[in-house]
Amino acid sequence: MSTVKILRVILRGLPNTLLLLSWSLILATVLGMLLTRMKLAKGRFWQGLANLYLNLVRGTPPLLMLLLSYYGLPVLLKLISINIEHWTRLMFGVFGLTIGWSAYLAEAFRSAYLSVDPGQLEAARSVGMNNRDALFRIILPQAAVNALPNVENLVIGLVKATSLVYVLGLFDMYNEAANLSNQTAGIHQLQIFVLLALTYWLIVLIIEAIFRQIRKHFALMA
Amino acid sequence: MLLSVKKLEKRFGKRTVLKGVDFSVDQGEVVVIIGPSGSGKTTLLRNLNFLENADAGTMNFKDRQIDLAHPKKDDVHFVRRHSAMVFQNYNLFKNKTAQENIAEGLIYGQGMDKRQALTIASDELKSLGLAAQANHYPSQLSGGQQQRIGIARATVLKPDVILFDEPTSALDPELVGTVLDDMRRLAQAGQTMVVVTHQMSFAKNVASRIVFFDDGQIVESGSPDQVFNHPREERTRQFLGALAENY
Ligand SMILES: Nc1ncnc2c1ncn2[C@@H]1O[C@H](COP(=O)(O)OP(=O)(O)OP(=O)(O)O)[C@@H](O)[C@H]1O
Ligand SMILES: [Mg+2]
């Protein structure tokens, strides 16, 4: 089978892979920030809630997280009369990955926040800035810079994790490739999977290049 | 009296670090605080700027009287707005350029127009001979440059008093002079200052008053000549004697 033909099949799954990646990343970032905010809150209630979530999620393999979302979430939500039967497989995939990566990102955000020198906040206060300005102008920008290396690793992990959505019957790059391999009774298996690996590798390379640029841009601020 | 605190107490856990300090600063004074390591000098300065919560005491600052153990938010802001702090480790905002560092407090502490603040910052850098560093981040500046900008960040706010906590002790010896020169110029211009330092020549030549601090208390206070040449207290004599041996 020609390389071009195999690649064409693999790339049929690219939109789904990229949709999973980008939506999960955006939503997990938002949720992760919320969790970080809860963990750093003074109230025990919010801290406890965040800890419960983080512990549960961290202890669950991503594959299982996807299966639980797909089979469990509709049942769970039906209990409170919310019907999500019209959800597409993609939405379940995004949901499962979001839950998982929100927890990992929350941990990265929290440690980045805590690694900002307390002297920065003191300096901001001493020049008369209020807490809000100090947070948004001084603390959070520095925390964001601190978080970059960990976030990069998590994004690369997420790229690879998108391949797990085959368990939901969703056709991403991996599932397209596996399907093609099955159709041809495994004769071209090696060829197909090497090409698939190269495709993932290329995506990761692009992500690394983007992060390198971002890091370079902010290097002086750390 | 510009600033005074009475019976200031501060504990860390079981340890009482400030044991009822009475301390005051007059308009135009340069008060230099000397004393052994761990005696509570930094803690005293930090309390004057509400970077620590005192356990007891009162403060009079300008026309306000403040309960140090329960300061009102508005009073804290008032004090910070009319005073400024220079830190041992500079604490320049790492994500801001030299110019932005100086302008930040003008804009976000005092509500000045951004363009005007940046112009003031740039003029200030010019007068320090640091115009070329305006767009440098702290990571691109030497310790001496950082501290001089730290001082500029404080002075542009035109505070009634500037609190200095060992501004030169993190610097390489050859950079100390530039920072002390800036401070001397400020003092000559009439800026009220409270300076914690181990730089005895600065203390002797620039201070209008020396405060010797030990074990959470002011042991004695007087003119440089009086404290250095005719100390009243035995503890002061011991401290100055030990200094003379070490330097
Ligand atoms: N945040 C803190 N928590 C607990 N103890 C503290 C804290 N800050 C200071 N201390 C203690 O309070 C005492 C006084 O510290 P402080 O830093 O005020 O001394 P100092 O006179 O400034 O000393 P140095 O000359 O070394 O800077 C020290 O014993 C110190 O260990
Ligand atoms: Mg100190």
Side-chain angles (χ1 to χ4, degrees), chain B residues 10-13 15-18 35-46 52 88 165-166 169 196 198 213:
Chain B
K10 173 65 190 171
R11 285 186 288 276
F12 288 114
R15 191 150 175 235
T16 305
V17 174
L18 298 179
S37 180
S39 57
K41 305 179 298 294
T42 295
T43 309
L44 172 61
L45 281 199
R46 290 170 59 80
E52 303 281 359
Q88 185 170 359
D165 186 18
E166 301 202 32
S169 62
V196 173
H198 295 294
F213 200 85

Side-chain angles (χ1 to χ4, degrees), chain B residues 12 18 26 61-62 70 87-88 118 121 171 218 220 233:
Chain B
F12 288 114
L18 298 179
D26 257 327
F61 185 69
K62 293 169 84 87
H70 312 279
F87 298 88
Q88 185 170 359
L118 286 169
L171 294 175
I218 292 178
E220 77 175 279
E233 300 291 331

Side-chain angles (χ1 to χ4, degrees), chain A residues 120 122 125 128 137 220-221, chain B residues 46 92 95 104 108 139:
Chain A
Q120 296 287 309
E122 297 186 344
R125 286 183 171 158
R137 300 194 50 80
L220 296 172
M221 298 189 193
Chain B
R46 290 170 59 80
L92 290 190
N95 58 325
E104 201 76 359
Y108 296 95
S139 66

Side-chain angles (χ1 to χ4, degrees), chain B residues 9-80:
Chain B
E9 279 177 40
K10 173 65 190 171
R11 285 186 288 276
F12 288 114
K14 284 200 181 120
R15 191 150 175 235
T16 305
V17 174
L18 298 179
K19 303 176 176 172
V21 177
D22 294 332
F23 175 75
S24 59
V25 190
D26 257 327
Q27 185 82 44
E29 263 195 312
V30 178
V31 179
V32 168
I33 303 176
I34 59 173
S37 180
S39 57
K41 305 179 298 294
T42 295
T43 309
L44 172 61
L45 281 199
R46 290 170 59 80
N47 270 287
L48 298 181
N49 213 236
F50 296 96
L51 295 177
E52 303 281 359
N53 300 317
D55 293 291
T58 53
M59 174 189 279
N60 283 285
F61 185 69
K62 293 169 84 87
D63 58 350
R64 298 204 183 196
Q65 176 154 13
I66 302 161
D67 176 359
L68 286 170
H70 312 279
K72 291 205 267 313
K73 216 176 163 183
D74 176 62
D75 287 334
V76 171
H77 198 69
F78 179 83
V79 171
R80 286 190 182 143

